[in-house]
Structure formats: structure tokens, C-alpha cells
Amino acid sequence: MKTYLVTGGAGFIGSNFVLRERSNAKARIINLDLLTYAGNLMNLQSLDGDKGYVFVRGSIGDRKLVRKLLDEYRPCGIINFAAESHVDRSIDGPEDFIQTNVVGTFHLLDEARHYWEALPEREKSQFRFLHVSTDEVYGSLEPDDPPFREDTPYAPNSPYSASKAASDHLVRAYHHTYGLPTLITNCSNNYGPRQFPEKLIPLMILNATSGKPLPIYGDGLNIRDWLYVEDHCEALSLVLEKGKPGEMYNIGGRCEKTNLEIVKTICTILDEIFPDSPHVPHESLITFVKDRPGHDRRYAIDCSKIENELGWKPKESFETGIRKTIQWYLDNPEWVESVQTGEYREWISRQYGGESIG
Ligand code: NAD
Ligand code: TYD
């Protein structure tokens, strides 16, 4: 059986990926995660006792630890999810983003190179380093601009997207210079189970169900492309298996929506589920707040390369995916409670200037 080293596997997308890989017992997974505020072992509780899964707490920037794991478990691939991932936090304090996303990725990449160079020829040709990145590296689109393609020039606007762009460049350079078989994926906004509730969709679901304000930045007309997390994970498996080393693949849902549309959809579904709630209509909770500094106006992804070359297509529409997502948050109150503790409350208070929003 194949072994993969997954980094950041206790976070939102990483945990969905690990659960998916283990559910079909396709590969043994070694999960290296620092467990920052965004990492949550409850995400992976169902793997307790699974002999094909190993959890190690630590940083991708800890070279000695990374080297030890590579030597001990001899993976045939690394999937790098580990990152600081929240744009607003990167504006509040960019330092951790540089340390993890840039310096950390560099250390991981360099250890991967040394390990890969010493592999026997057959294993060497099969090894892959898959770096999970974002569409935000391409910057912001005007309303009539065509969607981002793999050859769209990078123009990151936030400390988060700049740090991701820097790490993408390092990965690219390691392929070009050393021949390391790298793959980069640039995906649009994900939503689904296990997303930390400071991101738009879970924040709105949880605030609306408890009658708290729904804070919309600026005029609410910023556009994002949305993809259900399991569709992203399937795309990643496919890229890992069939992607061409050195290539980039854009991944998206062909699902552009304004933030206001997203929030109104969530409110309408909650009105349906809880017709007797005192918060009906949930839309009345919408509150326009100060805009995010440097807020990108629009992201859109042209994913025809992965569709045409690897045969990927998302299974979930926004209408079905958002219902599943809402239901998951309603069905998992212990999870919600476990993540809404100290550090998270402090962040909410810094970000929105009071305790009432989150
Ligand atoms: P997340 O914040 O939920 O999870 C990140 C995980 O990385 C956490 O478990 C955290 O503990 C871990 N981590 C942080 N620093 C670490 C370090 N130094 N060493 C080891 N582990 C560390 O993020 P996510 O939303 O799951 O995103 C995963 C990846 O996908 C990120 O690289 C992100 O840039 C990218 N991405 C996210 C989205 C999205 O919409 N969420 C879209 C496209 C790409
Ligand atoms: P977010 O989930 O932080 O993802 P990203 O910034 O990576 O796209 O935000 C998605 C969109 O929602 C973005 O345009 C900012 C907006 N937003 C709000 O309007 N209010 C909020 O409270 C949050 C967290 C985000």
C-alpha cells in the first residue's frame, strides 16, 4: 500500500482529504500537523484505532522532524495543506503567514528534495510533492475579465495570498532547478463540513442559528467561486495519481456568487428548516460592516485544464452542497463548541470589536 505524508491534515480541507483517503483504504496516511487554532483532532476522531493512519504533532518548518518522518515512513508522496489560511488574520498579523507558508514550505520542500534525491530510480520517478494552493495568488478580477487560467500572471494582494504565491514560486523553482516531481493546485473558495467558523459560510450558519448579526463586509457584492470540499479532495487525488510533474492545475466550481447571495441563500434555507424560530426571516440579521482593507473584488476560475486532461468534474452543485454543509453544522454541536473557545473568541472580539458577532 502507498504511504503519503500529509501536512495540515487536521484542518478543514486536509481532514476531509485524509478521511476520504482512509475511507477507501487507498493509502496509509502520516499526518503532520502543528495543531494551531485551525487544527482540530476532533475532525479525525473516526480514525481512532485505524492502523493505516498516524498522527504526529509538529511543524513543517521543523526540518529534523520532517527528515525523521521521511526516513521512518518512506512515503511515495507529500501533500502540503499546512498553512495559515485566513485572509483577515493575515491583515491583522502577517508574521505567522510568512513563517509557515513561506519559510515552513521551504523547509519541507528542501527536506523532500534530499529524501527524493536518495531514492532508488523507480521510487524516484513515482514520487510526488503536491502543493495545495489558492486562486487568490492571481489577484482580483474586474466584472468582465475572463476567469483565471494557469497562465494568468500572479498578482497577490493580501499578505495571505502573497505568502501562498511565494510558496508556489519555490515549489515551481524546485521542479525547474532540481527536477523534484512537483504538482501545484490553485483552488477557489471551499465550503463544507469541518471548516473553522471564522470563514464566511460557517460563520453565517452559526450566527444565524443563534440570532447573532451576519456581518457583511462593504457592499456585499464581492464575488467568489465556490467549490464543495469533497470535490476539491477528489481533484487532489486525481492530480496526485495522474497529474504531470511540474504542472499547475486550477480547480473551481464554475459557481460565481456575491457574498450577499451566499448569505441570503443560507438565511432562506434556515427559514425553511426552522419556520418557528424567533429569528425568521434570518435575513433581518444581515449587518453591513467596515470593508476588509484591500478586499479583492472578484475571483473566478477556468478549470478546463483539469477537466480536459484529467477528466475531473465537481459532483456537487452549490444548492446541494450548501444544504449538506448547513446540516453538518446543525448535526455537530460538540464540534462547534470545541472550536469556539478562548483564542477564537479573542479573535472575534479583535476583528469585529465586540463579543456579539461570533
Ligand atoms: P485550515 O486553516 O483549516 O488548516 C490548516 C492546517 O494547517 C491546520 O490544521 C493547522 O493546524 C495546520 N498548520 C498550520 N501551520 C502549520 C505548520 N507550521 N506545520 C504543520 N501544520 C500547520 O486551512 P484549509 O482551509 O484546510 O486550507 C488548507 C490548504 O488549502 C491551505 O494551504 C490553503 O492555502 C489552501 N486553500 C484553501 C482554500 C479554502 O477555501 N479554505 C481554498 C484554496 C486553497
Ligand atoms: P473568507 O471566507 O474569509 O474567504 P476569502 O477571503 O479567502 O475569500 O471570505 C469570503 C468572502 O466573504 C470575502 O469576500 C470576505 C467576505 N466576508 C464577509 O463579508 N464577512 C465576514 O464576516 C467574513 C469572514 C468574510
Side-chain angles (χ1 to χ4, degrees), residues 186-249:
N186 297 86
C187 188
S188 59
N189 285 54
N190 282 216
Y191 67 101
R194 304 177 190 84
Q195 185 167 32
F196 196 81
E198 65 188 12
K199 301 281 176 83
L200 181 73
I201 288 184
L203 181 78
M204 296 299 161
I205 297 171
L206 296 179
N207 279 15
T209 48
S210 49
K212 290 178 180 162
L214 307 179
I216 298 203
Y217 299 163
D219 61 7
L221 299 181
N222 301 67
I223 291 173
R224 299 289 181 266
D225 173 79
W226 292 94
L227 181 69
Y228 192 64
V229 63
E230 284 179 16
D231 282 321
H232 184 193
C233 292
E234 190 168 330
L236 294 174
S237 290
L238 210 56
V239 169
L240 202 53
E241 276 168 34
K242 297 192 188 154
K244 195 166 154 242
E247 293 286 312
M248 295 168 65
Y249 296 90

Side-chain angles (χ1 to χ4, degrees), residues 251-267:
I251 307 172
R254 295 193 192 277
C255 173
E256 287 183 55
K257 292 197 183 293
T258 65
N259 296 335
L260 209 49
E261 279 178 88
I262 297 284
V263 177
K264 285 185 174 176
T265 303
I266 293 170
C267 290

Side-chain angles (χ1 to χ4, degrees), residues 136-314:
E136 302 191 26
V137 297
Y138 296 118
S140 184
L141 293 168
E142 295 297 325
D144 295 326
D145 284 346
F148 302 130
R149 291 161 41 98
E150 286 79 359
D151 56 5
T152 302
Y154 275 30
N157 288 320
S158 72
Y160 163 67
S161 54
S163 68
K164 290 297 290 186
S167 62
D168 292 9
H169 288 321
L170 282 170
V171 173
R172 183 182 181 280
Y174 267 60
H175 174 74
H176 188 81
T177 307
Y178 305 108
L180 185 72
T182 60
L183 298 154
I184 300 176
T185 53
N186 297 86
C187 188
S188 59
N189 285 54
N190 282 216
Y191 67 101
R194 304 177 190 84
Q195 185 167 32
F196 196 81
E198 65 188 12
K199 301 281 176 83
L200 181 73
I201 288 184
L203 181 78
M204 296 299 161
I205 297 171
L206 296 179
N207 279 15
T209 48
S210 49
K212 290 178 180 162
L214 307 179
I216 298 203
Y217 299 163
D219 61 7
L221 299 181
N222 301 67
I223 291 173
R224 299 289 181 266
D225 173 79
W226 292 94
L227 181 69
Y228 192 64
V229 63
E230 284 179 16
D231 282 321
H232 184 193
C233 292
E234 190 168 330
L236 294 174
S237 290
L238 210 56
V239 169
L240 202 53
E241 276 168 34
K242 297 192 188 154
K244 195 166 154 242
E247 293 286 312
M248 295 168 65
Y249 296 90
N250 282 354
I251 307 172
R254 295 193 192 277
C255 173
E256 287 183 55
K257 292 197 183 293
T258 65
N259 296 335
L260 209 49
E261 279 178 88
I262 297 284
V263 177
K264 285 185 174 176
T265 303
I266 293 170
C267 290
T268 307
I269 296 173
L270 289 176
D271 289 350
E272 250 174 68
I273 301 178
F274 299 112
D276 300 328
S277 159
H279 313 306
V280 171
H282 289 86
E283 256 187 61
S284 63
L285 296 167
I286 288 178
T287 312
F288 289 91
V289 299
K290 199 162 102 291
D291 207 356
R292 169 188 282 173
H295 196 174
D296 283 341
R297 195 63 176 168
R298 173 176 168 239
Y299 304 140
I301 275 271
D302 178 344
C303 50
S304 45
K305 177 175 173 181
I306 188 169
E307 286 175 348
N308 296 337
E309 293 185 14
L310 306 186
W312 173 82
K313 267 219 172 335

Side-chain angles (χ1 to χ4, degrees), residues 68-90:
K68 182 174 158 289
L69 295 178
L70 293 173
D71 288 343
E72 186 175 344
Y73 294 105
R74 317 294 303 164
C76 64
I78 298 176
I79 302 108
N80 184 28
F81 293 96
E84 288 293 334
S85 69
H86 186 184
V87 175
D88 292 320
R89 284 187 187 249
S90 83

